[in-house]
Amino acid sequence: MFKILAYGLPALPLASLYFSIYVLIGEFYFKNYGLALSIIGSIFIIIRLFDAFTDPIMGYISDNFPLRFGKRKPWVLIGGILFIFSTWMLFVPIYKSVDVEYFFFWLFISAIGWTIAYAPYYAMGAELSMDYLERSKVTFCRELFTILGIIFASLLYSISFDFDNKIFKSGIGSNIGLFQICIFSSIFFVLSMFLFLLSKSNSKEVSYDKNNILNIFEIFISLKKQKLMRKLLFSHFINGLANGLPPALFVFYVNSVLKSPEFTGILLFLYFLGALVGVPLWIFISNKLDKHRVWCYAMIYACFIFIFVLFLKEYDLMLFAIICILSGLALSADLAIPSSIQADIIDLEYLKTGRRLTGQFFAFWGLVSKAAIAISTGIALILLDIVGFNSDENNGKNVLFAVSFIYAGLPIILKMFSIYLMWNFKLDKKTHSEILEKIKT
């Protein structure tokens, strides 16, 4: 159990910062430095698509060029340090006046750092165990710390401690909130790395193949033959688009539709608190049912809850708080189950070909995930610009409804399509047990 916990810990500080870039930084640069939403959205698309397409390269490096202290861990450390430094430069700009070039450069560096850490870290998760159920525990543990990191970021963004009066105060400026997130994440990263690097990976069960030539088409050839992986990747991409829209617009929705900017951090906290509570629930359900059906049930549930967002008006804080908690319950399943299913498909690929390209497959998984986030985040901000959204309070009813529809309506449509793709998925618990038996023999 210690091995799994030590593996999951680094996800907390990294997720805290990544979430802040993904959800908070757009509004921060829009409001404080006057960058246009369409420009911010376009930069997000360009940087994150570049970031996504470098994942397979990092996966290949991680698979084939182990460093002195291990195959995955040193890359996580190097990438994490670079990522944290670049987020400091983004969240606490060294200049009073920041232009597009500054934002682009440091977002680009943060993407490189994230890629160096991300591909080896996720590949390592698939290698900690080959057991069908224990793999879910590994991914749920990682995503549990991911959610905890996001919860801390949400609180730190809106609450600070007044040392003079010895009380907590809310409604702080975004610059103070982002600074607090940087401090917390940096300290926790150092502590988590200490345990992470000292823990034993114990990946003796897994055999590796060293590929002397980087052949990006190798994965595409495997995907061409592997129908299940294609279906999972496409469903994951569509669901990623759906999941990317609400966080990208969360601050705008709370500020302009609900007209309650001082409660942004608390509402984010409630959303991810719901996700935290959902972790043991989905672990229990996934132990009883097949993973793909559990994921579908989680998406159906999320769609039902999100319908009510379309009917909220200004100051409907209590209703939205309830929606945040209830919709958050589905997030932990979205985060953990698809990557656990992918690890099972890698076993099937190993049985058929005798090759286990874990790092490269998870890098390709990262490519799909990041591409979905890049497109959904960028398009969300560009759509706001198109409908005429502005930073002051002069947004008409049609504009505000457009914000609500992009925030909640589009994700429902996308999730329904993802459910359709995954409902009759052909890799269940029984089939995976048969695959492992054949591998052993």
Side-chain angles (χ1 to χ4, degrees):
M1 189 62 188
F2 173 76
K3 176 180 67 176
I4 297 177
L5 287 173
Y7 165 73
L9 275 173
L12 193 155
L14 294 176
S16 178
L17 292 173
Y18 190 71
F19 158 81
S20 301
I21 292 175
Y22 175 34
V23 176
L24 306 174
I25 204 73
E27 194 269 347
F28 175 67
Y29 275 85
F30 171 62
K31 187 174 181 179
N32 291 280
Y33 297 104
L35 271 65
L37 286 173
S38 57
I39 292 176
I40 295 173
S42 299
I43 291 174
F44 270 129
I45 292 176
I46 293 169
I47 296 294
R48 285 177 170 168
L49 284 179
F50 169 82
D51 178 27
F53 282 99
T54 57
D55 267 357
I57 298 174
M58 191 60 226
Y60 172 81
I61 293 172
S62 175
D63 277 342
N64 294 280
F65 297 98
L67 300 180
R68 181 180 177 183
F69 299 102
K71 190 171 187 176
R72 312 290 187 194
K73 292 181 179 180
W75 295 115
V76 178
L77 176 63
I78 294 169
I81 291 172
L82 181 60
F83 176 66
I84 287 177
F85 176 76
S86 57
T87 52
W88 266 97
M89 301 303 291
L90 276 172
F91 294 174
V92 190
I94 57 177
Y95 305 112
K96 291 184 178 180
S97 178
V98 173
D99 55 16
V100 173
E101 288 79 10
Y102 182 94
F103 177 69
F104 182 92
F105 177 78
W106 287 113
L107 187 64
F108 176 72
I109 299 300
S110 72
I112 292 175
W114 179 261
T115 294
I116 294 172
Y118 175 91
Y121 183 60
Y122 271 64
M124 184 180 170
E127 297 164 352
L128 288 181
S129 175
M130 291 189 67
D131 181 73
Y132 181 86
L133 295 179
E134 192 171 28
R135 272 183 173 156
S136 291
K137 293 179 182 178
V138 171
T139 55
F140 270 113
C141 179
R142 182 184 66 219
E143 303 311 330
L144 171 65
F145 282 110
T146 296
I147 294 167
L148 281 173
I150 294 171
I151 286 175
F152 279 116
S154 301
L155 291 175
L156 291 168
Y157 183 70
S158 59
I159 298 175
S160 66
F161 187 74
D162 187 339
F163 288 95
D164 294 331
N165 298 313
K166 296 181 180 180
I167 58 170
F168 286 98
K169 60 179 182 179
S170 61
I172 61 175
S174 56
N175 57 329
I176 297 174
L178 292 174
F179 177 75
Q180 292 184 153
I181 292 170
C182 281
I183 290 287
F184 166 79
S185 300
S186 300
I187 294 173
F188 202 95
F189 178 75
V190 173
L191 297 175
S192 66
M193 277 292 108
F194 179 75
L195 295 175
F196 177 72
L197 295 174
L198 288 180
S199 66
K200 294 183 179 180
S201 299
N202 189 27
S203 56
K204 295 179 180 178
E205 302 175 67
V206 182
S207 60
Y208 303 103
D209 289 290
K210 187 166 183 176
N211 308 286
N212 296 319
I213 301 174
L214 174 58
N215 185 2
I216 198 66
F217 295 104
E218 186 174 27
I219 296 178
F220 287 102
I221 293 171
S222 297
L223 288 174
K224 186 176 180 181
K225 298 177 181 178
Q226 184 53 265
K227 183 179 178 181
L228 290 179
M229 183 65 88
R230 293 200 310 271
K231 180 177 284 191
L232 176 64
L233 282 170
F234 189 47
S235 181
H236 178 60
F237 176 76
I238 297 299
N239 190 55
L241 291 176
N243 288 341
L245 292 169
L249 298 183
F250 192 93
V251 177
F252 298 99
Y253 179 83
V254 174
N255 288 0
S256 299
V257 178
L258 298 182
K259 299 191 183 303
S260 306
E262 67 274 18
F263 293 100
T264 300
I266 301 299
L267 292 168
L268 281 169
F269 166 75
L270 292 176
Y271 176 67
F272 290 104
L273 179 64
L276 186 65
V277 173
V279 170
L281 171 66
W282 297 116
I283 289 177
F284 174 78
I285 296 175
S286 62
N287 285 336
K288 302 295 182 182
L289 303 173
D290 293 321
K291 295 176 188 177
H292 67 283
R293 282 294 171 86
V294 176
W295 188 26
C296 288
Y297 294 145
M299 288 189 286
I300 292 170
Y301 165 78
C303 289
F304 174 74
I305 297 299
F306 245 47
I307 289 174
F308 296 98
V309 174
L310 298 172
F311 302 99
L312 296 184
K313 299 178 181 178
E314 59 185 67
Y315 306 118
D316 282 341
L317 278 175
M318 186 60 66
L319 292 175
F320 188 64
I322 294 172
I323 289 172
C324 285
I325 296 173
L326 295 179
S327 61
L329 288 172
L331 178 64
S332 47
D334 266 338
L335 291 174
I337 294 178
S339 59
S340 180
I341 296 173
Q342 189 203 192
D344 298 335
I345 297 176
I346 290 174
D347 289 336
L348 176 60
E349 183 67 17
Y350 178 69
L351 176 64
K352 290 181 176 181
T353 66
R355 310 187 68 189
R356 188 180 292 277
L357 306 175
T358 309
Q360 293 185 53
F361 267 109
F362 268 87
F364 197 81
W365 181 265
L367 187 156
V368 172
S369 301
K370 291 179 180 181
I373 292 174
I375 293 170
S376 59
T377 304
I379 288 180
L381 297 178
I382 292 171
L383 286 175
L384 283 191
D385 224 11
I386 291 174
V387 300
F389 181 85
N390 54 69
S391 59
D392 56 32
E393 300 298 322
N394 298 321
N395 291 296
K397 290 184 179 180
N398 291 337
V399 172
L400 294 179
F401 178 78
V403 174
S404 298
F405 184 78
I406 299 168
Y407 177 85
L410 286 181
I412 292 173
I413 296 171
L414 291 167
K415 277 184 176 290
M416 293 303 293
F417 186 50
S418 185
I419 293 165
Y420 169 77
L421 291 172
M422 288 301 297
W423 187 256
N424 291 315
F425 199 68
K426 302 296 183 182
L427 181 56
D428 54 19
K429 189 184 302 183
K430 180 181 177 181
T431 305
H432 185 258
S433 298
E434 294 171 353
I435 291 170
L436 289 185
E437 286 298 320
K438 291 178 181 178
I439 291 175
K440 291 178 182 178
T441 56

